[in-house]
Amino acid sequence: MPVKPSRVRFEHGHSGLGIGHREPRISWRFTGQETDWAQGGYELSIQKPGAEEARYRVVSGSSVLVPWPSAPLDSGEQAETGSLSASPTEWSEPSIVECGLLRVEDWSCRLVELAESQAIDKPKRPVWFRRSFNVAPDRQVQRARLYITSLGVYHAELNGQLVGDEQLAPGWTNYNLSIPYQTHDVTNSLRNGQNMLAAQVGEGWYAGRFGLFGGQRNIYGSQLGLICQLAITYQDGEVQTVESGDSWEASFGPILTSEMYDGEVYDAQQLIDVLQRSPNESWAPVRSSSLGGIVLKLFSPDAPPVQCTQEVRFREVLRCGPRKFILDFGQNLVGRLRVRVSGRPGHTITFQHVEVLENGECAIRPLRHTAAKDTLILSDGQVDWEPRFTFHGFRYVEVTNWPSGDDGVPGADDIIARVLHTDMERTGWFKCSDPLLNQLHSNIVRGMRGNFLSVPTDCPQRDERLGWTGDIAVFAPTGAYLYGVPSMLMDWLRTLTLEQLEDNGNVPPLISPNLFGPQGKNPTALWGDCVVTLPWDLYQATGDPRILEDQWESMSRWIDHGVDLDERGLWAKGRTWQLGDWLDPMAPPEEPGNGRADPFLVADACLIHSLDLMVAISAVLGKTNDQQRYEKWAARARTEFAREYISAAGRVASDSQTALALAIEYNLHPTPGQAERAAERLEEIIRNKARFKIATGFAGTPIIGHALTKVHRSQLFYRMLLHRKCPSWLYTVLMGATTIWERWDSMLPDGSVNPGEMTSFNHYALGAVGNWMHRVIGGLWMDEPGWKKILIRPIPGGGLSSASVKYPSPYGLIEAGWEALEGGDGAETFQLEVSIPPNSTARIVFPEQCHETVTVGSGVHQYQVPYIPPEWPPLPIYPPFAPHDDDTP
Ligand code: BGC
């Protein structure tokens, strides 16, 4: 198939409408396949309404984030672009890019709220706001845009038609610092004559109860409000605006409460007709005020919205009493139910959501201060209902008081689970010959999607769902392969940065949006280091140095002034509270930070890693002085680290998997001999002490596989990855997990829930092993930031006979798959097939035993090389004295 530019996008994947950049950079991928195809140049056409088409020819191989060639766009201004590669290809499909409202003055609307305030110590009832307006009966509308946001979370309707399919808009950010808005194309919902614009606002993160230990209400404000502006452009260029303001009216609808943690109470008997035009008593005038102190986020919204991306039918109905049953959806998901039911008016049904069952009952304890319960009160006739302003993390739903139909249980379409998350592009795929590893991989993906809901969260079910910096810091390399994360995480980093720099500060908050106030700014290694590692990971995924530039102040302030240092340039010991190797499986359930590795060893290793990244980042940004400064500091810190923690022979204090892996992975040994001793020691404790079970928490888990691969011990890690007893990844799979658990033993082998009060079944951090699976088993990674140069280096093992990976890079689809084919005499053939997209190249490194490397251009490449499979399985050094809790294959 001939090569063709496709999927023209702006900045980091923005679809184009309402963009916050006046000179959006443009990228395109390629479809089709030709051998060694490289772009020699490109031609862009820019067509602005009412203007001549302009064409720009550029001699350049670049097809990612190329500069905007035309005059900067203005608020609401539109352009249509196409791209054409100089090595002749067809034109891509055109794409529209249009700016949002970029200046404060562009916002002429007012904030509308209920005239009478709601009680501040109770959940707030969602409010409908509406206004009717006229569109000239005899004129044609060229386009209509709705710019809208709320103090709370909202959904809007125009003439009864839902505007967009976004959920929980405008999402969660620190609303005190800036509120994002959405831009919708509503041209097709408008009609000549009378129209009705309406929006319902719920409390969401803005005013609802949120946070740890029972949380608090009214975090950002105590009243719900709507801000919107509809711009209708007629064919002759005239613009009519409809703005939120005095002429609006408000009412309550059937939702009595809709809370993030506690769920929704919906009384279908109180349904209102939002479209009804003649005002009746249920609609009251609003209070309106100028936008005054409200800061609208004028540079956003780049991230994709939260949407429903999948509907899941229940698999099984477990009976537990009359009119009471538990539905099993077969997977731990994040979202809510859609229910269709009829019964007597006033009949009340409840829906209790939980992740797991314990002794056949809903395990509610891990939800802590979260009710996760929805209540539906029926009216006459059929009720179709989906809660609006809440979400739950669940696999099971206990339904109480379902009206008894024929057999008293719902039909497959009567109760459906709807999956919600930030709708990022699904990118990286992985498959191999071991079904359990495939299940583990799909658990990693499912866990990720549920925890990428507006912000990257720790868990979706209990009274947290917070943007913990440490969790995303360890998971980012895995996440950035699985989904197109950059725009969402960059938005999140911007908020984090504003919170870090507030009051001239240097320490990033532990969670962002920061609900902990100044106390949340305890200098904490790994969590704080997120401000260095995450921009770096996003730079790797995109090749965009602007990410590093934008985050430079945040990262350099953290490293230079935020980290609590001693005179040696390491962390000052004992002065700060460190989370260490959080959730080491040996840490007591109630003390997850009290693991085997010294928390300050972990902190210092993370600091040195961050310093190394600061050297690399300074180099990318051409900051030579900083580069030298960080180089010197890193060298001194290494010397001091060795003095503090490394023995003359090379052992590492704490003598744990995490401590040794950190030292190996971050090159902390002064000499290669010492590093080799550490590798031997790590091998010894894995083979003997741990008997191949994992013994790492947040700090060690993402890197232990890479550390072992670095010291040519990948088979040891295969053995750990394939272990089936607790603690191990496959233990969770064999216990029926469909997401990654927070603890290695969130569920104990006897099926009971871990007694620790912090026990979730949907935490992505320990899924950071996905990165090793993609890079080492699948063998796919970038050879330089941004994927223009690809590295294919599979290291087969673990008795696997095949693996394959797939990733749509910024250039097009990369595919790689290997198979180890049986030959005679223990010899095998290693077969590799790769497909490299146009305008990129790949370095292919065959497994160690083959000693071969080739560099290829685009196209499909197939290889067969003789190969001697690695010895399998690695065994404990000493046989156990007594029957051992082992699972030697
Ligand atoms: C969260 C974590 C987080 C940790 C740090 C927990 O409650 O769920 O994932 O990183 O606290 O204290």
Side-chain angles (χ1 to χ4, degrees), residues 528-552:
D529 288 308
C530 178
V531 301
V532 184
T533 58
L534 183 56
W536 179 252
D537 291 331
L538 298 177
Y539 168 66
Q540 298 300 306
T542 59
D544 182 8
R546 200 180 280 179
I547 298 174
L548 302 176
E549 225 167 270
D550 289 352
Q551 293 305 125
W552 174 260

Side-chain angles (χ1 to χ4, degrees), residues 212 368 458-459 462 464 468 470-471 527 577 579 582 698 742 758 763:
L212 282 169
R368 302 195 308 209
D458 57 336
C459 56
R462 66 173 181 232
E464 289 208 46
W468 286 96
D471 301 46
W527 276 251
W577 166 71
L579 296 167
W582 186 252
F698 272 33
E742 177 172 26
M758 194 195 75
H763 245 68

